[in-house]
């Protein structure tokens, strides 16, 4: 297959640009107008191309960066490279996909989790909390979950939005995963009332931690019955 150029990909992305999609995305802080289903279809056609992914990332264009994250090789990035990418990719969707599709699959994930969690930049710190939530769910061994609850209890209420959201997810995951800490996690959520009034579509679970924990535990028990 002939090498795909950045110019060719950018032209395809421009053709997929939809003003209505951009208006919706911009309300969430994402400055692009490409339907994500169509973006994924393009990524599937391009397949994995690490060099192209790196060149697309360097354009600074949000849609191009999202595509780059879908066609890259997650394990090919160095620690410092991922740290730089996280600080460059400030839009919520780029940040989310970078953490979930790339960093979580990279051998430097744990090292970055520790560094980012302590970072003074709340957006960077939110990535550290997202990685911590992943560990709570899949590899909690070695984590001090009670201490994490102490930090959440002290800091979540006044944290900036994206950091608050990530800490709240971690609170919920601790309550879902650890029966011994469940009552405390629910109590923290009830007292802090973070996301208590968050608008939740019908059929979706509220991100308010006490409701989220209770519903997920109910589903676990229903599945075991």
């Amino acid at each position: 297959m002939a090498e795909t150029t950045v110019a060719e990909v950018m032209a395809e992305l421009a053709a997929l640009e939809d003003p209505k999609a951009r208006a919706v995305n911009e309300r969430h802080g994402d400055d692009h107008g490409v339907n994500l289903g169509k973006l994924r279809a393009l990524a599937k056609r391009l397949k994995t191309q690490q060099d192209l992914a790196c060149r697309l990332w360097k354009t600074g264009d949000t849609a191009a960066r999202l595509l780059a994250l879908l066609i890259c090789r997650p394990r090919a990035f160095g620690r410092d490279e991922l740290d730089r990418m996280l600080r460059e990719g400030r839009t919520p969707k780029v940040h989310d996909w970078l953490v979930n599709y790339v960093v979580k699959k990279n051998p430097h994930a744990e090292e970055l989790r520790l560094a980012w969690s302590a970072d003074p930049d709340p957006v960077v710190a939110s990535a550290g909390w997202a990685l911590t939530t992943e560990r709570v769910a899949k590899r909690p061994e070695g984590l001090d979950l009670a201490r994490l609850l102490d930090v959440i209890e002290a800091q979540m209420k006044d944290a900036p939005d994206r950091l608050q959201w990530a800490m709240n997810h971690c609170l919920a995951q601790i309550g879902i995963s650890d029966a011994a800490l469940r009552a405390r996690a629910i109590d923290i959520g009830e007292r802090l009332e973070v996301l208590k009034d968050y608008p939740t579509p019908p059929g979706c679970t509220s991100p308010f931690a006490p409701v989220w924990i209770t519903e997920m535990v109910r589903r676990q028990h229903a599945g075991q019955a």
Side-chain angles (χ1 to χ4, degrees):
M1 190 174 88
E3 183 184 7
T4 307
T5 68
V6 171
E8 289 169 344
V9 175
M10 296 304 289
E12 283 210 55
L13 290 173
L16 292 173
E17 176 76 19
D18 178 354
K20 291 181 180 177
R22 177 174 284 274
V24 171
N25 290 334
E26 284 183 343
R27 287 202 293 272
H28 299 98
D30 292 307
D31 56 346
H32 75 92
V34 178
N35 175 277
L36 295 182
K38 293 179 179 178
L39 190 76
R40 291 180 187 278
L42 175 55
K44 189 174 182 180
R45 199 176 82 237
L46 290 171
K47 301 188 168 113
T48 302
Q49 296 191 51
Q50 179 68 10
D51 289 344
L52 177 60
C54 291
R55 284 182 277 132
L56 287 172
W57 181 273
K58 287 178 182 175
T59 67
D61 179 82
T62 293
R65 284 183 164 179
L66 290 172
L67 181 62
L69 296 171
L70 294 175
I71 67 170
C72 72
R73 284 199 305 274
R75 298 181 66 85
F77 294 104
R79 179 207 181 282
D80 292 345
E81 198 171 9
L82 289 174
D83 183 73
R84 174 181 53 76
M85 290 168 72
L86 185 79
R87 295 172 195 278
E88 289 175 350
R90 305 295 289 188
T91 60
K93 188 61 72 177
V94 169
H95 175 99
D96 180 55
W97 282 19
L98 175 62
V99 172
N100 286 292
Y101 297 167
V102 180
V103 180
K104 285 181 179 179
K105 300 175 183 177
N106 184 275
H108 299 288
E110 179 62 13
E111 185 183 352
L112 289 168
R113 180 186 77 81
L114 294 169
W116 288 344
S117 295
D119 200 278
D121 182 329
V123 174
V124 175
S126 72
W129 279 94
L131 294 173
T132 298
T133 301
E134 172 87 349
R135 271 208 58 186
V136 171
K138 297 183 177 178
R139 294 183 299 107
E141 302 80 15
L143 289 178
D144 188 342
L145 299 184
R147 182 181 172 280
L148 285 174
L149 289 180
D150 290 342
V151 176
I152 291 167
E153 187 172 19
Q155 299 178 13
M156 183 173 72
K157 180 78 171 178
D158 299 317
D161 287 352
R162 281 160 73 177
L163 178 55
Q164 185 184 71
W165 186 275
M167 294 176 85
N168 182 72
H169 191 176
C170 191
L171 171 66
Q173 191 61 58
I174 292 171
I176 293 162
S177 300
D178 194 306
L181 293 172
R182 187 167 298 146
R184 185 182 171 205
I186 290 173
D187 177 65
I188 290 171
E190 287 174 342
R191 283 187 290 105
L192 298 185
E193 297 188 336
V194 168
L195 301 176
K196 183 176 182 178
D197 299 320
Y198 190 85
T200 305
C204 296
T205 303
S206 169
F208 179 47
V211 174
W212 190 353
I213 293 166
T214 302
E215 173 60 17
M216 296 310 292
V217 171
R218 183 195 67 76
R219 291 184 195 179
Q220 287 174 357
H221 290 162
Q224 295 166 359

